[in-house]
Amino acid sequence: MTEDRYARFSERYASGDTPWDSGITPPEILELLDILPAGCALDLGCGSGTVIRDLLRRGWRADGIDFVQGAIDIAASKLSPFPADAYRLFCHDVTRLDELRSLRKDYDLIIDIGCGHSINTITIEAYACAIAKRLAPGGLFMLYASHPRPESTVGWEPGEVVTTFAPHLDLLWEQRSDNKATGAPASWYKMRMQLSV
């Protein structure tokens, strides 16, 4: 994480200029929650806590991480009606999960909606390993990532995603679509932690 990126996102949360934050949990996540039994979830890049709110409404316990304190503050306010022991919020860098000693060891579900795809290519493999360490055997990872494009500094090639996570997670499906905010090509990925790992 660079200081410049942190400053940009902090300023945008402070001003309310957050077009990526629709305030609506994506249907791909809601459909999954309709069929999964409640468990423990981790939202990487949780932003203002919208997905965590829907997890809590369905009886899940949920943790969220975001590197912008302003986002965490908004999430804390949004989640305040729920029991305090049902969720935890951390202002932290998602590329350094091992430093968060109070994270749970085994999550049934980890979600990344447009967070990881901005990570430097040098740290992608470490990010995948850190996620695998936190997933319970058979646990699911839901990833939404933009495809690379010339005018943007974010994005993962679909083949790169599959190759990077393959040592730990089995790809169950990939669904390609366009990002509604930018019109850029993107993909959803549903992966399962390998039982033998």
Side-chain angles (χ1 to χ4, degrees):
M1 173 184 67
T2 66
E3 290 299 322
D4 180 54
R5 185 165 175 263
Y6 174 77
R8 272 198 332 271
F9 274 88
S10 294
E11 186 177 301
R12 293 186 77 172
Y13 270 105
S15 68
D17 179 21
T18 54
W20 59 85
D21 187 358
S22 67
I24 300 169
T25 297
E28 292 82 358
I29 298 297
L30 293 177
E31 288 167 12
L32 185 64
L33 296 183
D34 284 342
I35 61 173
L36 284 181
C40 292
L42 174 62
D43 187 359
L44 299 169
C46 66
S48 67
T50 298
V51 173
I52 294 175
R53 180 183 60 195
D54 281 323
L55 284 159
L56 297 175
R57 285 174 174 165
R58 287 164 171 77
W60 286 71
R61 300 175 72 80
D63 297 335
I65 302 172
D66 203 283
F67 77 123
V68 177
Q69 186 61 52
I72 292 295
D73 293 343
I74 295 168
S77 177
K78 185 180 289 186
L79 302 176
S80 62
F82 296 95
D85 63 351
Y87 66 92
R88 297 177 302 176
L89 299 171
F90 303 93
C91 185
H92 195 73
D93 183 343
V94 297
T95 66
R96 301 191 337 254
L97 292 181
D98 287 342
E99 295 175 9
L100 282 175
R101 302 293 180 201
S102 53
L103 283 181
R104 302 172 209 276
K105 184 179 185 306
D106 292 326
Y107 287 96
D108 304 295
L109 174 63
I110 296 181
I111 299 167
D112 173 344
I113 303 173
C115 176
H117 68 184
S118 64
I119 291 172
N120 185 297
T121 53
I122 296 170
T123 59
I124 293 173
E125 288 186 9
Y127 185 62
C129 287
I131 288 169
K133 280 184 190 176
R134 297 290 176 184
L135 265 177
L140 295 177
F141 177 46
M142 289 292 289
L143 170 67
Y144 178 78
S146 294
H147 299 185
R149 52 201 170 107
E151 67 275 20
S152 176
T153 59
V154 303
W156 283 345
E157 290 285 357
E160 179 183 25
V161 170
V162 174
T163 301
T164 301
F165 286 92
H168 314 284
L169 305 170
D170 295 322
L171 179 67
L172 301 180
W173 56 253
E174 176 194 350
Q175 178 180 312
R176 299 194 186 196
S177 63
D178 288 339
N179 182 307
K180 290 183 175 129
T182 65
S187 288
W188 274 100
Y189 306 86
K190 181 180 181 182
M191 303 180 220
R192 176 176 288 135
M193 182 67 181
Q194 296 166 0
L195 296 173
S196 59
V197 172

